[in-house]
Amino acid sequence: MKKFLLLIVFCLLLILSACNNKQNNKSEIASSKDLYTCAMHPQVLEHHPGNCPICGMKLIKKNAKPVAVTNIELETLLQPTNEYVVASLPVTTPQQGNVNIPVKAHGTIESDTRESGIISTNVSGRIEKLYLRYRYQKVEAGQKVMEIYSPELLTAQENLIFLLKRDAENTSFITAARQKLLLLGMSETDLNKVTRSGKPSYSVGIYSHYSGHVHDAGMKHDLNENESNYTAPVTQELSVKEGMYVTKGQTLFMIMNHHKAWAALQIFPNDQPAVKKGDAVEIIPETDTNAVIKGEIDFIEPFFRGNNKTLTARVNFHNMEMLAVGSHVTANIYTAGKEGLWIPQTAVLSLGMSDAAFIKSGDGFMAHKILTGIRTSNKVQILSGLTLTDTIAVNAQYLVDSESFIQTVSK
């Protein structure tokens, strides 16, 4: 029994001795200036460098004195770790300046409607002779296009002849009778012929006051008609024929001057703010790329044609080369310089309805919404969202997977 009690006392002494040694080791480590710990097992503390006895990782130095952190806000504590992208990318800053904006546009040749005119009759009657036989026939100003028999014209001529024979001294009545015939559409040449001969002319000539090509008054240009019943206008016969009766004021022909035309250029939405009336233009026809036509924008149509989202800019020019109406052209528009804040095109990331750029923040980049204006081939105008002091990523495509980008898109 005594031996058993001595054995228990001996064990207790060993335990007390081991506890004292462990406390002494901890006190020695705590008093050491250089402490080393494991990044994966912070409970391991050593006063010399080495490897972790648990995982074998290299021990790292630990500061003995804790550093107090102040001014910590709740937003900082709750901020996600991937709110911005830590990356090393080329950067740039917005530049204030005047940028020339060359615009390339495509379009078609159209007839200048200001150079068009119509041939009509001032009296009712029957077409006795027709000199225009087919569409797009060339017509010169002063050319006789038809001869018409009109009872009204015949009566007016007989009244004038009666006054000349029976009351030649009544100049006021004679002048009024001559003026009536001129207003009814009789030419000065035909009127003088009647007064000299003293005999009325049963058919009176109708003359064109315009130069150009014949377009039928009833001509159909709508290609959306039933194609099975559609015939090209150039192969259709004229709706006006000899022997046909026409009414007073009826439009018979439309004359278009193809020597005067305009190029209808389609301006895309990105280029519309830069293109203004008076900008110089070089037009290159598709039929002859060496023939360059110079002009300037005369008018910008204030509406969209059909369902297109392009504005049409007109450039008037003398079509001396007789470019076919409807042929395609390419144009270079030289716009005036635009003052503003500009960044590279690659620095802007389109989000559909809005745009974004990545602003440098410390060692990383954060997505930021911006409002853009005019776009050129390599530059974008910034209306709001950036300043001259901001530093942004040159290529925004590298950062589209960041958490800040996703948050920006969802806003």
Side-chain angles (χ1 to χ4, degrees):
M1 187 68 180
K2 292 182 180 179
K3 292 181 179 180
F4 180 73
L5 292 175
L6 291 174
L7 181 61
I8 292 174
V9 172
F10 180 74
C11 291
L12 291 175
L13 292 176
L14 290 176
I15 292 171
L16 290 175
S17 177
C19 291
N20 291 331
N21 291 334
K22 187 174 182 180
Q23 290 178 357
N24 291 334
N25 292 336
K26 288 184 177 181
S27 62
E28 290 178 0
I29 294 174
S31 62
S32 176
K33 294 182 179 180
D34 297 330
L35 296 177
Y36 297 86
T37 185
C38 178
M40 299 297 296
H41 303 88
Q43 69 273 21
V44 176
L45 295 175
E46 298 290 346
H47 63 280
H48 56 80
N51 297 327
C52 177
I54 299 176
C55 64
M57 291 183 60
K58 187 177 181 180
L59 299 179
I60 58 175
K61 190 174 181 180
K62 181 178 180 180
N63 293 328
K65 295 182 179 180
V67 178
V69 181
T70 59
N71 300 326
I72 298 179
E73 298 180 358
L74 181 61
E75 295 179 356
T76 304
L77 296 175
L78 299 179
Q79 185 176 14
T81 57
N82 59 345
E83 181 173 327
Y84 68 93
V85 182
V86 178
S88 178
L89 296 175
V91 295
T92 185
T93 57
Q95 300 294 324
Q96 183 76 29
N98 190 291
V99 175
N100 291 325
I101 307 170
V103 174
K104 190 171 184 178
H106 300 275
T108 55
I109 301 296
E110 296 183 358
S111 299
D112 190 343
T113 56
R114 299 174 301 177
E115 300 295 328
S116 65
I118 61 172
I119 299 176
S120 61
T121 60
N122 296 340
V123 292
S124 300
R126 183 181 69 249
I127 299 175
E128 296 292 325
K129 187 68 175 178
L130 186 63
Y131 298 99
L132 299 181
R133 295 294 183 177
Y134 56 90
R135 291 177 177 175
Y136 304 111
Q137 183 176 344
K138 188 176 182 181
V139 179
E140 298 292 343
Q143 177 180 337
K144 184 187 289 189
V145 297
M146 69 173 61
E147 293 180 3
I148 186 173
Y149 164 75
S150 171
E152 186 177 0
L153 273 173
L154 183 59
T155 302
Q157 292 178 70
E158 291 175 345
N159 291 336
L160 175 60
I161 293 173
F162 178 83
L163 289 173
L164 291 173
K165 291 181 178 180
R166 301 297 180 91
D167 196 4
E169 296 180 355
N170 194 346
T171 56
S172 60
F173 274 45
I174 294 174
T175 302
R178 288 177 58 89
Q179 186 66 29
K180 181 179 180 180
L181 285 169
L182 293 174
L183 293 174
L184 290 176
M186 196 171 190
S187 67
E188 188 78 31
T189 303
D190 292 342
L191 181 57
N192 293 334
K193 183 179 179 180
V194 170
T195 57
R196 286 195 305 267
S197 64
K199 296 180 179 181
S201 176
Y202 289 92
S203 59
V204 177
I206 304 296
Y207 297 85
S208 173
H209 299 287
Y210 311 96
S211 296
H213 295 80
V214 177
H215 286 245
D216 198 344
M219 198 169 177
K220 299 292 185 180
H221 290 282
D222 188 5
L223 296 180
N224 294 325
E225 297 177 350
N226 187 354
E227 294 183 358
S228 61
N229 298 327
Y230 180 78
T231 306
V234 74
T235 62
Q236 291 181 358
E237 59 183 355
L238 294 174
S239 60
V240 179
K241 298 178 178 62
E242 291 182 356
M244 181 181 291
Y245 280 85
V246 294
T247 59
K248 184 177 182 179
Q250 178 180 344
T251 299
L252 303 177
F253 303 103
M254 176 178 290
I255 306 299
M256 301 293 296
N257 186 0
H258 291 171
H259 289 291
K260 297 290 184 67
W262 62 45
L265 306 178
Q266 305 304 315
I267 311 300
F268 289 97
N270 290 342
D271 301 323
Q272 289 171 8
V275 178
K276 304 295 181 184
K277 179 181 177 181
D279 289 342
V281 181
E282 287 185 352
I283 302 172
I284 304 172
E286 66 172 355
T287 55
D288 186 3
T289 56
N290 295 323
V292 178
I293 302 171
K294 294 186 178 181
E296 64 179 32
I297 294 179
D298 182 70
F299 181 73
I300 299 177
E301 296 179 359
F303 57 87
F304 294 120
R305 294 189 179 188
N307 295 325
N308 296 330
K309 293 303 180 183
T310 57
L311 284 179
T312 302
R314 301 177 185 173
V315 180
N316 300 317
F317 67 96
H318 293 280
N319 190 16
M320 304 311 295
E321 300 294 332
M322 286 302 294
L323 298 176
V325 173
S327 60
H328 293 270
V329 296
T330 302
N332 296 317
I333 304 175
Y334 300 96
T335 64
K338 185 70 175 180
E339 182 70 25
L341 193 66
W342 302 88
I343 64 174
Q345 178 87 345
T346 56
V348 178
L349 195 64
S350 178
L351 306 179
M353 299 298 294
S354 59
D355 298 297
F358 285 89
I359 299 179
K360 188 173 179 60
S361 175
D363 295 332
F365 295 89
M366 298 183 65
H368 185 68
K369 276 192 176 181
I370 58 176
L371 182 62
T372 60
I374 300 173
R375 293 173 181 257
T376 67
S377 58
N378 56 359
K379 289 187 179 295
V380 178
Q381 182 188 23
I382 301 300
L383 301 180
S384 64
L386 293 177
T387 63
L388 289 171
T389 58
D390 291 328
T391 302
I392 60 175
V394 172
N395 196 327
Q397 296 293 335
Y398 290 133
L399 306 171
V400 294
D401 293 331
S402 67
E403 175 71 16
S404 60
F405 168 72
I406 298 173
Q407 292 177 357
T408 302
V409 174
S410 62
K411 287 181 181 179

Coordinates of all heavy atoms in Angstrom, one line a residue, residues 139-197:
V139 N -36.2 66.1 -123.7 CA -37.0 67.3 -124.0 C -36.2 68.5 -123.7 O -35.6 68.6 -122.7 CB -38.4 67.3 -123.2 CG1 -39.2 68.5 -123.6 CG2 -39.1 66.0 -123.5
E140 N -36.3 69.5 -124.6 CA -35.6 70.8 -124.4 C -36.7 71.8 -124.2 O -37.8 71.7 -124.7 CB -34.8 71.2 -125.7 CG -33.7 70.2 -126.0 CD -32.6 70.2 -124.9 OE1 -32.5 71.2 -124.1 OE2 -31.8 69.3 -124.9
A141 N -36.3 72.9 -123.4 CA -37.2 74.0 -123.2 C -37.6 74.6 -124.5 O -36.8 74.9 -125.3 CB -36.6 75.0 -122.2
G142 N -38.9 74.9 -124.7 CA -39.4 75.5 -125.9 C -39.8 74.5 -127.0 O -40.3 74.9 -128.1
Q143 N -39.6 73.2 -126.7 CA -39.9 72.2 -127.7 C -41.4 71.9 -127.7 O -42.1 71.8 -126.7 CB -39.2 70.9 -127.4 CG -39.5 69.7 -128.3 CD -38.7 68.5 -128.0 OE1 -37.6 68.6 -127.3 NE2 -39.2 67.3 -128.3
K144 N -42.0 71.8 -128.9 CA -43.4 71.4 -129.1 C -43.6 70.0 -128.7 O -43.0 69.1 -129.2 CB -43.9 71.7 -130.5 CG -45.4 71.4 -130.6 CD -45.8 71.5 -132.1 CE -45.8 73.0 -132.6 NZ -46.4 73.1 -134.0
V145 N -44.5 69.7 -127.8 CA -44.8 68.3 -127.3 C -46.0 67.8 -127.9 O -46.2 66.5 -128.0 CB -44.7 68.3 -125.8 CG1 -43.4 68.7 -125.2 CG2 -45.8 69.1 -125.2
M146 N -47.0 68.6 -128.2 CA -48.3 68.1 -128.8 C -49.0 69.3 -129.5 O -48.7 70.5 -129.3 CB -49.1 67.5 -127.7 CG -49.7 68.5 -126.7 SD -50.9 67.8 -125.5 CE -49.8 66.5 -124.7
E147 N -50.0 68.9 -130.3 CA -51.0 69.9 -130.8 C -52.4 69.5 -130.4 O -52.7 68.3 -130.4 CB -50.9 69.9 -132.4 CG -49.6 70.4 -132.9 CD -49.5 70.4 -134.4 OE1 -50.5 70.1 -135.0 OE2 -48.4 70.8 -134.9
I148 N -53.1 70.5 -130.0 CA -54.5 70.2 -129.4 C -55.5 71.0 -130.1 O -55.3 72.2 -130.5 CB -54.4 70.5 -127.9 CG1 -55.8 70.1 -127.2 CG2 -54.1 71.9 -127.6 CD1 -55.8 70.2 -125.7
Y149 N -56.7 70.4 -130.3 CA -57.8 71.1 -130.8 C -58.7 71.5 -129.6 O -59.1 70.6 -128.9 CB -58.6 70.3 -131.8 CG -60.0 70.9 -132.1 CD1 -60.2 72.0 -132.9 CD2 -61.1 70.2 -131.5 CE1 -61.4 72.5 -133.1 CE2 -62.4 70.7 -131.8 CZ -62.5 71.9 -132.5 OH -63.8 72.4 -132.7
S150 N -59.1 72.8 -129.5 CA -59.9 73.2 -128.4 C -60.9 74.2 -128.9 O -60.5 75.2 -129.5 CB -59.1 73.9 -127.3 OG -59.9 74.5 -126.4
P151 N -62.2 74.0 -128.8 CA -63.2 74.9 -129.2 C -63.0 76.3 -128.5 O -63.3 77.3 -129.1 CB -64.5 74.3 -128.8 CG -64.2 72.8 -128.7 CD -62.8 72.7 -128.2
E152 N -62.6 76.3 -127.3 CA -62.4 77.5 -126.5 C -61.3 78.4 -127.2 O -61.4 79.6 -127.3 CB -62.1 77.2 -125.1 CG -62.0 78.5 -124.2 CD -61.7 78.1 -122.7 OE1 -61.6 76.9 -122.4 OE2 -61.6 79.1 -121.9
L153 N -60.2 77.7 -127.6 CA -59.1 78.4 -128.3 C -59.5 78.9 -129.6 O -59.2 80.0 -130.1 CB -57.9 77.5 -128.4 CG -56.9 77.4 -127.2 CD1 -55.9 76.3 -127.5 CD2 -56.2 78.8 -127.0
L154 N -60.3 78.1 -130.3 CA -60.8 78.5 -131.6 C -61.7 79.7 -131.6 O -61.6 80.7 -132.4 CB -61.5 77.3 -132.3 CG -62.0 77.6 -133.7 CD1 -60.9 77.9 -134.7 CD2 -62.8 76.4 -134.2
T155 N -62.6 79.8 -130.6 CA -63.5 80.9 -130.4 C -62.7 82.2 -130.1 O -63.0 83.3 -130.6 CB -64.5 80.6 -129.3 OG1 -65.2 79.5 -129.7 CG2 -65.4 81.8 -129.1
A156 N -61.7 82.1 -129.2 CA -60.9 83.2 -128.8 C -60.1 83.8 -130.0 O -59.9 85.0 -130.2 CB -59.9 82.8 -127.7
Q157 N -59.6 82.9 -130.9 CA -58.9 83.3 -132.1 C -59.8 84.1 -133.0 O -59.5 85.1 -133.6 CB -58.3 82.1 -132.8 CG -57.2 81.4 -132.1 CD -56.7 80.2 -132.8 OE1 -56.0 80.4 -133.9 NE2 -56.9 79.1 -132.3
E158 N -61.1 83.6 -133.2 CA -62.0 84.2 -134.1 C -62.4 85.6 -133.6 O -62.6 86.6 -134.3 CB -63.3 83.3 -134.3 CG -63.0 82.1 -135.0 CD -64.2 81.1 -135.1 OE1 -65.1 81.4 -134.2 OE2 -64.2 80.2 -135.9
N159 N -62.5 85.8 -132.3 CA -62.8 87.1 -131.7 C -61.7 88.1 -132.0 O -61.9 89.2 -132.3 CB -63.0 86.9 -130.2 CG -64.3 86.2 -129.8 OD1 -65.2 86.2 -130.6 ND2 -64.4 85.6 -128.6
L160 N -60.4 87.6 -131.8 CA -59.3 88.5 -132.1 C -59.3 88.9 -133.6 O -59.1 90.1 -133.9 CB -58.0 87.8 -131.7 CG -56.7 88.5 -132.1 CD1 -56.6 89.9 -131.4 CD2 -55.5 87.7 -131.8
I161 N -59.5 87.9 -134.5 CA -59.5 88.2 -135.9 C -60.7 89.2 -136.3 O -60.5 90.2 -137.1 CB -59.7 87.0 -136.7 CG1 -58.4 86.1 -136.5 CG2 -59.9 87.3 -138.2 CD1 -58.5 84.7 -137.2
F162 N -61.8 89.1 -135.6 CA -62.9 90.0 -135.9 C -62.6 91.4 -135.5 O -62.9 92.4 -136.2 CB -64.2 89.5 -135.1 CG -65.3 90.4 -135.2 CD1 -66.2 90.3 -136.3 CD2 -65.6 91.3 -134.2 CE1 -67.3 91.2 -136.4 CE2 -66.7 92.2 -134.4 CZ -67.6 92.1 -135.5
L163 N -61.9 91.6 -134.3 CA -61.5 92.9 -133.8 C -60.5 93.5 -134.8 O -60.5 94.7 -135.0 CB -61.0 92.8 -132.4 CG -62.0 92.5 -131.3 CD1 -61.3 92.3 -130.0 CD2 -63.0 93.7 -131.2
L164 N -59.6 92.7 -135.3 CA -58.5 93.2 -136.1 C -59.1 93.7 -137.5 O -58.6 94.7 -138.1 CB -57.5 92.2 -136.4 CG -56.6 91.8 -135.2 CD1 -55.7 90.6 -135.5 CD2 -55.7 93.0 -134.8
K165 N -60.2 93.0 -137.9 CA -60.7 93.4 -139.2 C -61.8 94.5 -139.1 O -61.9 95.3 -140.0 CB -61.4 92.1 -139.9 CG -60.4 91.1 -140.3 CD -61.1 89.9 -141.0 CE -60.0 88.9 -141.5 NZ -60.7 87.7 -142.1
R166 N -62.6 94.5 -138.1 CA -63.7 95.4 -138.0 C -63.5 96.6 -137.0 O -64.1 97.6 -137.2 CB -65.0 94.6 -137.5 CG -65.4 93.5 -138.4 CD -65.8 94.0 -139.7 NE -66.2 92.9 -140.6 CZ -67.4 92.4 -140.7 NH1 -68.4 93.0 -140.0 NH2 -67.7 91.4 -141.5
D167 N -62.6 96.4 -136.1 CA -62.3 97.5 -135.1 C -60.8 97.6 -134.8 O -60.4 97.5 -133.7 CB -63.2 97.3 -133.8 CG -63.3 98.5 -133.0 OD1 -62.8 99.6 -133.4 OD2 -63.9 98.4 -131.9
A168 N -60.0 97.8 -135.8 CA -58.6 97.8 -135.6 C -58.1 99.0 -134.8 O -57.0 98.9 -134.2 CB -57.9 97.9 -137.0
E169 N -58.9 100.0 -134.6 CA -58.5 101.2 -133.8 C -58.7 100.9 -132.3 O -58.2 101.7 -131.4 CB -59.2 102.4 -134.2 CG -58.8 102.9 -135.7 CD -59.5 104.1 -136.1 OE1 -60.4 104.6 -135.3 OE2 -59.3 104.6 -137.2
N170 N -59.5 99.9 -132.0 CA -59.8 99.6 -130.6 C -58.6 98.8 -130.0 O -58.7 97.5 -129.8 CB -61.1 98.9 -130.5 CG -61.7 98.8 -129.0 OD1 -61.0 99.1 -128.1 ND2 -62.9 98.5 -128.9
T171 N -57.5 99.4 -129.7 CA -56.3 98.7 -129.2 C -56.5 98.0 -127.9 O -55.9 97.0 -127.6 CB -55.2 99.7 -129.2 OG1 -55.5 100.8 -128.3 CG2 -54.8 100.2 -130.5
S172 N -57.3 98.6 -127.0 CA -57.5 98.0 -125.7 C -58.2 96.6 -125.8 O -57.8 95.7 -125.1 CB -58.3 98.9 -124.8 OG -59.6 99.2 -125.3
F173 N -59.2 96.5 -126.7 CA -59.9 95.3 -126.9 C -59.0 94.3 -127.5 O -59.0 93.1 -127.2 CB -61.2 95.5 -127.7 CG -62.4 95.9 -126.8 CD1 -62.2 96.8 -125.8 CD2 -63.6 95.3 -127.0 CE1 -63.3 97.2 -125.1 CE2 -64.7 95.7 -126.3 CZ -64.6 96.6 -125.3
I174 N -58.2 94.7 -128.5 CA -57.3 93.8 -129.2 C -56.3 93.3 -128.3 O -55.9 92.1 -128.3 CB -56.7 94.6 -130.4 CG1 -57.8 94.9 -131.5 CG2 -55.6 93.7 -131.0 CD1 -57.3 95.7 -132.6
T175 N -55.7 94.2 -127.4 CA -54.7 93.7 -126.5 C -55.3 92.7 -125.5 O -54.6 91.7 -125.1 CB -54.2 95.0 -125.7 OG1 -53.6 95.9 -126.6 CG2 -53.1 94.5 -124.7
A176 N -56.5 93.0 -125.0 CA -57.2 92.0 -124.1 C -57.4 90.7 -124.8 O -57.3 89.6 -124.2 CB -58.5 92.6 -123.6
A177 N -57.8 90.7 -126.1 CA -58.0 89.4 -126.8 C -56.7 88.6 -127.0 O -56.7 87.4 -126.8 CB -58.7 89.7 -128.1
R178 N -55.6 89.3 -127.3 CA -54.3 88.7 -127.4 C -53.9 88.1 -126.0 O -53.4 87.0 -126.0 CB -53.3 89.7 -127.9 CG -53.4 90.1 -129.4 CD -52.4 91.1 -129.7 NE -51.0 90.6 -129.5 CZ -50.3 89.9 -130.4 NH1 -50.8 89.7 -131.6 NH2 -49.1 89.5 -130.1
Q179 N -54.1 88.9 -125.0 CA -53.7 88.4 -123.6 C -54.5 87.1 -123.2 O -54.0 86.2 -122.6 CB -53.9 89.5 -122.6 CG -53.4 89.2 -121.2 CD -51.9 89.0 -121.2 OE1 -51.2 89.6 -122.0 NE2 -51.4 88.2 -120.3
K180 N -55.8 87.1 -123.6 CA -56.6 85.9 -123.3 C -56.0 84.7 -124.0 O -56.0 83.6 -123.4 CB -58.0 86.2 -123.7 CG -58.9 85.0 -123.4 CD -60.4 85.3 -123.8 CE -61.3 84.1 -123.5 NZ -62.7 84.3 -123.8
L181 N -55.6 84.8 -125.3 CA -55.1 83.6 -126.0 C -53.8 83.2 -125.4 O -53.5 82.0 -125.3 CB -54.9 84.0 -127.4 CG -56.2 84.1 -128.3 CD1 -55.9 84.7 -129.6 CD2 -56.7 82.7 -128.5
L182 N -52.9 84.1 -124.9 CA -51.7 83.7 -124.3 C -51.9 83.0 -122.9 O -51.3 82.0 -122.6 CB -50.8 85.0 -124.0 CG -50.3 85.7 -125.3 CD1 -49.6 87.0 -124.9 CD2 -49.3 84.8 -126.0
L183 N -52.9 83.5 -122.2 CA -53.3 82.8 -121.0 C -53.9 81.4 -121.2 O -53.8 80.5 -120.3 CB -54.2 83.7 -120.1 CG -53.7 85.0 -119.6 CD1 -54.8 85.8 -119.0 CD2 -52.5 84.8 -118.7
L184 N -54.5 81.2 -122.3 CA -55.1 79.9 -122.6 C -54.0 78.9 -123.1 O -54.4 77.8 -123.4 CB -56.2 80.0 -123.6 CG -57.5 80.7 -123.1 CD1 -58.5 80.9 -124.3 CD2 -58.1 79.9 -122.0
G185 N -52.8 79.4 -123.2 CA -51.7 78.4 -123.5 C -51.2 78.6 -124.9 O -50.3 77.8 -125.3
M186 N -51.7 79.6 -125.7 CA -51.2 79.7 -127.1 C -49.8 80.5 -127.0 O -49.6 81.4 -126.3 CB -52.2 80.6 -127.9 CG -51.9 80.5 -129.4 SD -53.3 81.2 -130.3 CE -52.9 80.7 -131.9
S187 N -48.9 80.0 -127.8 CA -47.5 80.6 -127.8 C -47.6 82.0 -128.5 O -48.4 82.2 -129.4 CB -46.5 79.7 -128.4 OG -46.8 79.5 -129.8
E188 N -46.6 82.8 -128.3 CA -46.4 84.1 -128.9 C -46.2 83.9 -130.4 O -46.8 84.7 -131.3 CB -45.3 84.9 -128.3 CG -45.1 86.3 -128.8 CD -46.1 87.2 -128.1 OE1 -46.5 87.0 -127.0 OE2 -46.5 88.2 -128.8
T189 N -45.5 82.9 -130.8 CA -45.2 82.6 -132.2 C -46.5 82.2 -133.0 O -46.8 82.8 -134.1 CB -44.2 81.5 -132.4 OG1 -43.0 81.9 -131.7 CG2 -43.8 81.2 -133.8
D190 N -47.3 81.3 -132.4 CA -48.5 80.9 -133.0 C -49.5 82.1 -133.1 O -50.3 82.2 -134.1 CB -49.1 79.7 -132.3 CG -48.3 78.5 -132.5 OD1 -47.5 78.4 -133.4 OD2 -48.5 77.5 -131.6
L191 N -49.5 82.9 -132.1 CA -50.4 84.0 -132.0 C -50.1 85.1 -133.1 O -51.0 85.6 -133.8 CB -50.4 84.7 -130.6 CG -51.3 85.9 -130.4 CD1 -52.8 85.5 -130.7 CD2 -51.2 86.4 -129.0
N192 N -48.8 85.3 -133.3 CA -48.4 86.3 -134.4 C -48.8 85.7 -135.8 O -49.1 86.5 -136.7 CB -46.9 86.5 -134.3 CG -46.6 87.3 -133.0 OD1 -47.4 88.1 -132.5 ND2 -45.3 87.2 -132.6
K193 N -48.6 84.4 -135.9 CA -49.0 83.7 -137.2 C -50.5 83.9 -137.5 O -50.9 84.2 -138.7 CB -48.6 82.3 -137.1 CG -48.9 81.5 -138.4 CD -48.5 80.1 -138.3 CE -48.7 79.3 -139.6 NZ -48.3 77.9 -139.4
V194 N -51.3 83.8 -136.5 CA -52.8 84.0 -136.7 C -53.1 85.4 -137.0 O -53.9 85.7 -137.9 CB -53.5 83.6 -135.4 CG1 -55.0 84.0 -135.5 CG2 -53.4 82.1 -135.2
T195 N -52.5 86.4 -136.4 CA -52.7 87.8 -136.6 C -52.3 88.2 -138.0 O -52.9 89.1 -138.7 CB -52.1 88.7 -135.6 OG1 -50.7 88.4 -135.5 CG2 -52.7 88.5 -134.2
R196 N -51.2 87.6 -138.5 CA -50.7 87.9 -139.8 C -51.5 87.3 -140.9 O -51.8 87.9 -142.0 CB -49.2 87.5 -140.0 CG -48.2 88.3 -139.2 CD -46.8 88.0 -139.7 NE -46.5 86.6 -139.6 CZ -45.9 86.0 -138.6 NH1 -45.6 86.8 -137.5 NH2 -45.6 84.7 -138.6
S197 N -51.9 86.1 -140.7 CA -52.7 85.4 -141.7 C -54.2 85.8 -141.7 O -54.9 85.7 -142.8 CB -52.6 83.9 -141.6 OG -53.1 83.5 -140.4

